[in-house]
């Protein structure tokens, strides 16, 4: 809910409180409120007034104008106009007989309806002024950037040079055309006396002219006409040259000041106009917020004429503000004096209209509200937009004509390069698509498929360094080698000349455990005489058996690594999937932020803007000069309201619901005129209490 919506709801509730006839009273309650049971016209009771279709229609329209009838709290201009027209108050002025026939209850319902329409119009005007101040601040920041550096000023000067040249040429043409017409009038005036002097000789030469008329009629028109036209063009051209020379002499200062200096001077002038317009709008907003519809001292059932007169003065205040806000040739103090003087001297106030009938006052006020909505508010919006457009940032055409012209000039070169590199560009695009597809399937889809296979104990998905049957075959081969060696050399194996089956089984079991002692004994014996052992003994054979033993040991170690890998196969699967997932998520988020809603960029901008708003609020309160009652001026109050309104808009949706309620209370305390010390404490409380959310999520 915005600042204006809160204010409209508060005022609408006050209208219901101070009105003598709430919308839900019955006949007995109306008599208890102070009505005497009779209407303004004798013979008409309150019951007859309650049963009147006219009263029922007014009650329905008043309920439609209430802030509780819509979720937006403020109605649109067209909706308010439609309801006022439906009420019949904005039509032709009723006759005296019709006014006399109104009941007191009907008149009070009309006042209630007009009061609610006034509140809605008041909220609409507040929203309009707030929506006009914020763009003005953006344009002022733009001129700050232009004046902030020499290169920005130079760029602005280049951007606006065509319009400046066009304005200079138009002035030269207008001045030359005025001088040409003035010279032609002076020349025509000089020919009139000569015509009168030659009139006497005209009669004497009539006969001669009649004789030569037939011979010179054709040639006497075309030649002088061509000569006159060429003379006029030469004369106009000479006047243009003189105007250019005079303008050059007159604008000698422009020849001394650089072109960038001219652009900076223009930027300063426009910035000054925008600041003044912003201050005037803020002053009008502050006056309207403080002085408009101030029902604070009106009690329930008391001050009947007081609150009705307050409605009239508030409507007059809105009308004066709409008519005078865009006028920049007065100062702020003079503007405030004119606004209050315009309200006090308003001829449509009931205190000035002595011949007005009380029953007619709601209709007069309704017609004025309708005029504000139909004429005053649109005219004010057009005038403000005209001034803001004249002094605001240049249009997109002015700001971007230079790169557009550069692009247009280089378009042929760009098209030629694209045409010559057509095949390369197509290959780049094709390669990009192939790379993207391969990355997706090889680094995202396949790892996911393998992880699913691992979870389902798929035999084809097991990780292994060597095949599953390799160790078994090599171990059985080693057993056979050792058993055959022991059978051939039993003296080395068991120390006897023969070997039994039980001894062979024992050797076989030891070989499975890695014990090849018989082979090592023969190897140690033949190693004493290596050459003899190699030729006549078993040195080579025992050495080859040890090679097989080393191979088996190596495969046993590798099988242990295989077992470890298999136990962690799911972990390795997720490790292999992680890079592809991270790259895919990062790329998706980047594309979403860039191509779609740019959420990350907006959050950063929101954080920076919130910081700037808090700084501006602090600056407004620090630079404000409070009155003797410790209250800031209308201008400072209007500027403060605009910044608080923007701060509430930035904080909406960022703060949790329970925290947002507390934030709204602090923001209302910051915006209300309870003393500058109270406002400074509220600002400090907002800074330290909500910095976590506004800094992290904004």
């Amino acid at each position: 809910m915005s600042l204006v919506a809160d204010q409209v709801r508060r005022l609408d509730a006050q209208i219901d409180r101070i009105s003598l006839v709430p919308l839900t009273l019955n006949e007995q309650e109306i008599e208890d409120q102070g009505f005497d049971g009779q209407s303004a016209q004798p013979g008409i009771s309150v019951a007859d007034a309650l049963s009147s279709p006219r009263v029922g229609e007014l009650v329905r329209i008043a309920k439609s104008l209430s802030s509780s009838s819509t979720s937006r709290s403020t109605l649109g201009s067209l909706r308010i106009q439609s309801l006022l027209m439906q009420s019949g108050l904005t039509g032709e002025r009723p006759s005296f007989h019709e006014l006399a026939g109104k009941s007191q209850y009907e008149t009070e319902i009309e006042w209630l309806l007009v009061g609610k329409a006034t509140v809605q119009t008041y909220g609409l005007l507040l929203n309009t002024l707030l929506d006009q101040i914020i763009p003005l601040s953006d344009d002022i920041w733009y001129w700050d950037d232009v004046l902030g550096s020499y290169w920005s000023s130079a760029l602005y000067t280049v951007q606006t040079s065509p319009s400046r040249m066009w304005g200079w040429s138009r002035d030269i043409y207008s001045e030359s055309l005025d001088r040409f017409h003035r010279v032609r009038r002076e020349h025509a005036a000089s020919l009139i006396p000569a015509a009168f002097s030659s009139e006497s000789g005209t009669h004497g030469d009539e006969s001669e002219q009649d004789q030569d008329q037939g011979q010179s009629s054709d040639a006497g028109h075309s030649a002088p006409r061509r000569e006159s036209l060429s003379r006029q063009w030469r004369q106009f051209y000479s006047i243009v040259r003189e105007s250019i020379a005079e303008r050059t002499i007159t604008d000698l200062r422009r020849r001394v000041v650089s072109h960038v200096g001219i652009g900076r001077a223009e930027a300063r002038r426009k910035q000054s106009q925008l600041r003044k317009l912003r201050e005037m709008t803020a002053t009008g907003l502050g006056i309207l917020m403080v002085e408009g519809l101030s029902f604070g001292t009106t009690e329930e059932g008391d001050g009947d004429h007081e609150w009705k007169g307050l409605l009239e003065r508030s409507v007059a205040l809105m009308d004066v503000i709409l008519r005078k806000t865009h006028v920049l040739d007065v100062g702020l103090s003079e503007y405030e004096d004119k606004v209050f003087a315009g309200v006090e001297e308003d001829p449509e106030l009931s205190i000035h209209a002595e011949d007005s009938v009380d029953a007619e006052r709601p209709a007069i006020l309704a017609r004025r509200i309708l005029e504000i909505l139909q004429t005053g508010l649109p005219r004010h919006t057009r005038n403000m937009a005209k001034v803001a457009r004249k002094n605001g940032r240049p249009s997109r055409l002015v700001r971007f004509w230079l790169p557009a012209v550069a692009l247009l000039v280089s378009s042929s070169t760009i098209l030629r390069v694209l045409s010559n590199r057509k095949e390369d560009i197509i290959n780049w695009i094709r390669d990009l698509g192939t790379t993207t597809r391969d990355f997706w399937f090889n680094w995202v889809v396949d790892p996911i498929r393998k992880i699913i296979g691992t979870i389902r104990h798929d035999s084809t998905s097991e990780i292994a360094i060597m095949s599953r049957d390799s160790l078994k075959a090599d171990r059985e081969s080693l057993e056979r080698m050792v058993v055959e060696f022991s059978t051939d050399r039993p003296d080395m194996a068991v120390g006897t000349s023969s070997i039994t089956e039980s001894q062979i089984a024992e050797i076989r079991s030891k070989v499975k455990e890695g014990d090849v002692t018989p082979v090592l004994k023969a190897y140690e014996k033949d190693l004493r005489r290596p050459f003899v052992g190699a030729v006549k003994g078993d040195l080579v054979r025992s050495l080859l058996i040890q090679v097989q033993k080393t191979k088996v040991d190596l495969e046993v170690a590798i099988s242990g690594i295989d077992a470890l890998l298999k136990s962690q196969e799911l972990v390795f699967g997720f490790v292999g999937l992680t890079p592809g997932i991270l790259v895919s998520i990062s790329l998706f988020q980047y594309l979403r932020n860039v191509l779609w809603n740019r959420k990350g960029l907006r959050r950063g901008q929101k954080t920076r803007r919130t910081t700037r708003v808090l700084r501006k609020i602090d600056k407004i309160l620090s630079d404000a000069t409070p009155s003797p009652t410790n209250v800031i001026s209308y201008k400072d109050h209007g500027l403060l309201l605009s910044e608080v309104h923007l701060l509430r808009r930035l904080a909406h949706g960022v703060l949790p619901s329970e925290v947002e309620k507390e934030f709204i209370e602090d923001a209302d305390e910051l915006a209300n005129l309870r003393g500058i010390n109270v406002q400074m404490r509220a600002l400090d409380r907002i800074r330290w209490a909500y910095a976590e959310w506004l800094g992290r999520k904004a």
Side-chain angles (χ1 to χ4, degrees):
M1 189 182 298
S2 65
L3 184 68
V4 177
D6 290 344
Q7 183 74 2
V8 170
R9 288 182 183 274
R10 189 180 302 113
L11 293 175
D12 189 77
Q14 290 180 351
I15 287 286
D16 292 334
R17 178 178 57 83
I18 63 178
S19 176
L20 290 176
V21 186
L23 297 180
T24 58
L25 292 183
N26 55 29
E27 180 179 357
Q28 183 62 36
E29 290 172 331
I30 292 174
E31 293 178 357
D32 294 340
Q33 288 283 346
F35 288 96
D36 55 0
Q38 298 291 328
S39 68
Q41 183 182 9
I44 300 179
S45 64
V46 176
D48 296 335
L50 287 173
S51 61
S52 170
R54 168 66 176 169
V55 171
E57 180 68 13
L58 291 176
V59 170
R60 182 190 65 81
I61 296 174
K63 289 181 178 179
S64 300
L65 285 169
S66 179
S67 61
S68 60
S69 64
T70 174
S71 59
R72 295 175 52 192
S73 300
T74 55
L75 301 177
S77 176
L78 295 179
R79 178 61 176 167
I80 302 174
Q81 295 178 38
S82 175
L83 293 174
L84 285 176
M85 291 179 181
Q86 292 177 20
S87 67
L89 297 174
T90 59
E92 296 181 358
R93 181 176 181 179
S95 62
F96 179 79
H97 178 72
E98 293 174 344
L99 294 176
K102 279 188 177 181
S103 65
Q104 185 179 0
Y105 184 76
E106 180 180 348
T107 304
E108 293 299 326
I109 288 293
E110 289 179 352
W111 271 113
L112 180 62
L113 186 150
V114 171
K116 289 182 175 294
T118 303
V119 170
Q120 293 293 334
T121 306
Y122 173 80
L124 186 63
L125 182 54
L126 287 180
N127 274 327
T128 301
L129 294 177
L130 286 172
D131 293 339
Q132 289 171 348
I133 290 178
I134 296 174
L136 292 178
S137 301
D138 296 337
D139 289 341
I140 292 174
W141 290 341
Y142 171 79
W143 293 121
D144 286 337
D145 293 337
V146 170
L147 297 172
S149 65
Y150 180 85
W151 294 109
S152 299
S153 303
L155 178 60
Y156 169 74
T157 304
V158 174
Q159 289 173 343
T160 56
S161 58
S163 60
R164 195 177 295 109
M165 181 62 67
W166 168 253
W168 183 80
S169 303
R170 186 175 54 187
D171 293 341
I172 292 294
Y173 175 77
S174 301
E175 182 179 353
S176 302
L177 192 61
D178 293 340
R179 294 183 62 182
F180 176 74
H181 288 314
R182 186 168 62 252
V183 170
R184 293 292 298 171
R185 287 194 298 269
E186 293 176 355
H187 179 68
S190 64
L191 293 178
I192 294 177
F196 280 108
S197 63
S198 60
E199 184 178 358
S200 59
T202 303
H203 298 285
D205 297 337
E206 283 183 358
S207 58
E208 297 179 1
Q209 291 178 357
D210 292 338
Q211 295 176 0
D212 298 338
Q213 185 175 3
Q215 300 176 359
S216 60
S217 60
D218 296 332
H221 291 82
S222 59
R225 187 175 301 168
R226 288 193 299 269
E227 182 180 358
S228 175
L229 184 61
S230 62
R231 186 173 64 253
Q232 290 179 8
W233 274 110
R234 287 195 302 269
Q235 187 178 13
F236 181 74
Y237 179 69
S238 63
I239 290 175
V240 170
R241 293 183 60 183
E242 292 176 0
S243 299
I244 294 175
E246 292 177 0
R247 178 61 65 91
T248 303
I249 296 175
T250 304
D251 296 342
L252 183 60
R253 182 180 59 86
R254 295 178 178 268
R255 300 174 63 183
V256 177
V257 181
S258 65
H259 294 285
V260 178
I262 297 174
R264 291 177 65 87
E266 182 179 351
R268 290 193 191 94
R269 179 181 59 80
K270 291 186 176 182
Q271 186 186 44
S272 175
Q273 292 292 320
L274 286 179
R275 282 180 175 171
K276 189 172 184 179
L277 180 62
R278 181 171 177 263
E279 292 176 354
M280 298 278 282
T281 307
T283 303
L285 178 62
I287 293 175
L288 194 62
M289 198 73 176
V290 176
E291 305 295 337
L293 298 177
S294 55
F295 296 119
T297 59
T298 305
E299 298 294 337
E300 181 179 358
D302 296 335
D304 178 36
H305 295 284
E306 181 180 351
W307 79 271
K308 295 173 182 177
L310 182 60
L311 286 181
E312 293 179 344
R313 290 194 297 272
S314 298
V315 173
L317 179 64
M318 289 187 281
D319 191 13
V320 174
I321 288 176
L322 287 175
R323 285 187 286 106
K324 296 185 178 298
T325 299
H326 67 280
V327 181
L328 302 180
D329 55 353
V330 296
L332 290 180
S333 58
E334 186 178 355
Y335 168 75
E336 294 179 6
D337 295 339
K338 285 187 176 182
V339 168
F340 290 116
V343 173
E344 294 299 329
E345 299 172 0
D346 191 281
E348 296 190 16
L349 294 180
S350 58
I351 58 176
H352 296 156
E354 298 178 355
D355 56 345
S356 64
V357 182
D358 291 342
E360 190 184 7
R361 288 171 58 193
I364 296 175
L365 193 59
R367 285 193 292 269
R368 187 165 190 181
I369 294 174
L370 185 64
E371 182 182 0
I372 289 176
L373 295 174
Q374 290 180 341
T375 306
L377 189 58
R379 182 177 60 245
H380 166 79
T381 304
R382 289 194 302 269
N383 292 332
M384 290 288 291
K386 182 179 179 180
V387 177
R389 185 169 56 252
K390 179 181 178 181
N391 298 284
R393 71 176 65 189
S395 63
R396 289 185 176 88
L397 179 62
V398 174
R399 298 201 306 268
F400 299 113
W401 72 266
L402 189 60
V405 170
L407 181 62
L408 182 62
V409 171
S410 59
S411 60
S412 59
T413 304
I414 295 175
L415 291 176
R416 185 169 58 254
V417 171
L418 293 177
S419 178
N420 294 335
R421 305 296 296 273
K422 180 180 179 181
E423 295 297 332
D424 295 337
I425 295 174
I426 294 176
N427 291 332
W428 294 340
I429 297 174
R430 185 184 297 111
D431 293 341
L432 178 62
T434 303
T435 303
T436 304
R437 180 179 59 84
D438 293 343
F439 170 80
W440 176 255
F441 284 102
N442 296 333
W443 290 92
V444 179
V445 177
D446 288 346
I448 292 176
R449 187 183 294 115
K450 292 178 181 179
I451 290 174
I452 295 174
T454 302
I455 295 174
R456 299 174 61 182
H457 295 285
D458 189 358
S459 59
T460 60
S461 65
E462 293 181 355
I463 302 175
I465 300 178
M466 64 179 187
S467 60
R468 287 186 291 270
D469 298 332
S470 176
L471 176 61
K472 180 180 179 182
D474 289 339
R475 183 175 292 175
E476 291 177 353
S477 175
L478 179 61
E479 289 178 3
R480 290 193 297 270
M481 290 181 183
V482 176
V483 170
E484 290 177 359
F485 181 81
S486 299
T487 303
D488 294 340
R489 297 293 301 273
D491 56 331
M492 292 292 179
V494 295
T496 61
S497 59
S498 62
I499 186 170
T500 63
E501 291 296 331
S502 60
Q503 291 175 337
I504 292 176
E506 184 180 358
I507 292 173
R508 193 185 300 275
S509 63
K510 289 182 178 181
V511 170
K512 290 181 180 180
E513 296 175 359
D515 186 4
V516 290
T517 302
V519 178
L520 294 177
K521 288 180 178 180
Y523 177 73
E524 292 172 358
K525 179 181 178 182
D526 292 338
L527 195 59
R528 297 171 184 172
R529 300 173 65 185
F531 294 103
V532 177
V535 177
K536 295 182 178 181
D538 298 320
L539 181 61
V540 176
R541 186 179 180 184
S542 62
L543 185 61
L544 293 176
I545 293 175
Q546 290 188 69
V547 171
Q548 180 67 18
K549 172 66 169 56
T550 304
K551 181 180 178 183
V552 171
D553 292 340
L554 181 60
E555 290 181 350
V556 169
I558 294 177
S559 66
I561 298 175
D562 277 346
L564 179 62
L565 292 178
K566 290 176 183 178
S567 65
Q568 302 296 324
E569 187 173 2
L570 190 60
V571 176
F572 285 110
F574 279 108
V575 170
L577 177 63
T578 301
I581 293 295
L582 291 178
V583 172
S584 300
I585 293 176
S586 301
L587 184 61
F588 176 75
Q589 288 182 347
Y590 174 77
L591 293 177
R592 186 184 63 178
N593 294 335
V594 173
L595 300 180
W596 282 283
N597 56 3
R598 303 176 64 90
K599 188 175 181 180
L601 182 59
R602 288 207 307 270
R603 284 183 177 178
Q605 291 177 347
K606 212 172 183 181
T607 302
R608 291 191 296 270
R609 193 161 191 182
T610 302
T611 304
R612 295 182 68 176
V613 168
L614 291 174
R615 176 193 171 275
K616 292 186 69 174
I617 292 176
D618 182 79
K619 191 174 187 305
I620 290 171
L621 295 176
S622 300
D623 296 343
T625 302
S627 64
T629 58
N630 203 26
V631 177
I632 60 178
S633 64
Y634 293 122
K635 181 198 75 173
D636 295 329
H637 188 213
L639 294 175
L640 181 63
L641 286 175
S642 65
E643 299 301 331
V644 172
H645 175 73
L646 183 58
L647 182 63
R648 288 185 57 170
R649 183 186 300 176
L650 293 172
H652 180 67
V654 174
L655 300 175
S657 57
E658 64 277 3
V659 179
E660 187 173 3
K661 294 179 182 178
E662 300 174 357
F663 173 79
I664 291 175
E665 294 178 359
D666 293 335
D668 289 341
E669 185 174 346
L670 177 62
N672 292 333
L673 293 179
R674 298 179 181 177
I676 191 171
N677 296 329
V678 177
Q679 292 172 314
M680 291 295 293
R681 287 196 299 269
L683 177 60
D684 293 337
R685 188 163 57 251
I686 289 175
R687 279 177 170 171
W688 65 260
Y690 311 103
E692 178 183 0
W693 291 278
L694 296 178
R696 182 186 64 188
K697 295 183 179 179

